[in-house]
Amino acid sequence: MQDHGSASDVDAVITWVDGADPRHRQRLQAYLEQSGSRGHAAAAPTRFGDCGEIEYCVASLLRHAPWLRSIHIVSDDQQPALLARLKGTPLESRVRVVDHREIFTGFETFLPTFSNRAIECVMWRIPGLAENFIYLNDDFQLLRPVAREDFFRDDGIVLRGRWRAAGDRRLSARLKAALGGSKDTHSARPGNHVAQEHSARLAGFDDRYFQVPHVPHPMRRSVLARYFEQHPEQLAENVRHRLRSNEQFLTTALAAHLELAAGTATIDNRLQVLRLKADSQWLATLRRQLRAADRDPAVALACVQSLDLASEPARQLILAWLERRVGRLHALHAGASIA
């Protein structure tokens, strides 16, 4: 029998991939050739790029959210180097790797998968996962201490974002197409906002949707388990896509709207997220953003996107800042700094 812990326990779930791994590249190329998906936007190398961000992600969770029970790193037959640095320390038992095969039970024919939307759809099936869990990508870091109540409150979840009218993104897409935008579904990037609106409709919201930005997502295992028990065909349809597709819904958005529909979600935008687009912002702009984040205590989270595509000066600037604000695992000194 799986041990999901107590009702108050909270776990973290991180999805991670090392796109430089020759085995991963071989599996991806084999699938692209077999499926005729070469040039698909969801197969761009940066989607699988790794610059060691996950170590800052894990270190920040251990340092600034010590109330977390376990950290699950979901990966495809890969082991991040940080595990070796945790070995033999008190932190070793709190971080584990979950292979895709553990959560795709019954859907093995759709492996290997390269779609984060498919992977997110079965995260709640992690063996022993706590009822309450926070899902985040490996490019997120906590910048200061946060409390359990920043994510789970009053037997429900805490959401960040805002309501939008339904259809405004679809209208924008139609206008873009009319003005000559690409209609090639392979080369077009799967839209996040359209997927959020689609997910809201599944939960019964036809006229509006709650737009959740790119943030760590608090979720409850039982909410998703119950929904997919009632709608197994939606689960099967979403996991069959092995590259991210516009036909897929977002499990994070679905979970948020299910909680909103049940009245078990609190909207609280006090904690702010620093978003860095390392590959496209001027160095001076990055410096200004980092200085502003250092001065503002409301900025509790950071998301560093496309660090693998950044210039060397931008990459070194951001890594030095992360070293100062978060630190690596060795700085935790076998748990002595966790308090």
Side-chain angles (χ1 to χ4, degrees), residues 50-261:
D50 174 56
C51 287
E53 302 97 324
I54 190 171
E55 182 166 348
Y56 292 107
C57 178
V58 171
S60 76
L61 292 173
L62 293 170
R63 183 185 297 279
H64 294 313
W67 40 268
L68 287 170
R69 185 189 67 159
S70 298
I71 299 173
H72 307 269
I73 300 174
V74 178
S75 188
D76 179 17
D77 195 26
Q78 294 181 319
Q79 295 273 333
L82 66 88
L83 292 184
R85 290 189 277 282
L86 290 174
K87 198 164 184 63
T89 75
L91 303 175
E92 180 180 7
S93 62
R94 294 180 57 192
V95 183
R96 67 173 293 247
V97 172
V98 179
D99 192 80
H100 287 180
R101 290 168 292 189
E102 294 184 62
I103 55 179
F104 276 81
T105 303
F107 300 107
E108 292 89 349
T109 55
F110 303 129
L111 292 177
T113 186
F114 310 97
S115 169
N116 62 318
R117 294 183 181 181
I119 297 165
E120 292 166 8
C121 200
V122 289
M123 287 187 307
W124 58 275
R125 304 172 96 202
I126 292 174
L129 180 67
E131 162 67 0
N132 306 299
F133 67 96
I134 301 170
Y135 164 59
L136 59 164
N137 297 130
D138 64 349
D139 58 3
F140 264 103
Q141 302 85 28
L142 300 180
L143 300 178
R144 66 166 177 79
V146 293
R148 182 187 188 279
E149 290 70 30
D150 290 322
F151 300 93
F152 297 95
R153 198 182 304 167
D154 301 326
D155 295 320
I157 66 172
V158 177
L159 292 177
R160 293 169 179 87
R162 64 189 182 98
W163 288 102
R164 296 186 67 126
D168 53 353
R169 286 280 168 169
R170 282 178 291 175
L171 176 60
S172 175
R174 287 196 295 269
L175 287 173
K176 183 177 180 181
L179 293 172
S182 173
K183 298 179 182 180
D184 182 349
T185 58
H186 282 316
S187 61
R189 181 180 177 183
N192 182 274
H193 294 282
V194 172
Q196 289 199 41
E197 186 176 337
H198 172 39
S199 307
R201 289 195 297 272
L202 294 178
F205 292 85
D206 294 325
D207 300 325
R208 61 177 183 160
Y209 69 101
F210 189 77
Q211 179 193 331
V212 180
H214 190 42
V215 294
H217 301 277
M219 304 166 77
R220 293 197 292 169
R221 180 178 50 81
S222 62
V223 170
L224 292 169
R226 184 165 53 249
Y227 181 83
F228 289 125
E229 182 179 351
Q230 296 169 353
H231 305 279
E233 74 289 348
Q234 292 181 14
L235 177 63
E237 170 61 23
N238 222 48
V239 301
R240 76 172 180 85
H241 297 274
R242 294 167 69 180
L243 288 173
R244 192 169 65 162
S245 166
N246 277 317
E247 297 178 36
Q248 290 174 296
F249 59 82
L250 296 180
T251 303
T252 53
L254 173 63
H257 285 88
L258 290 173
E259 299 274 12
L260 287 164

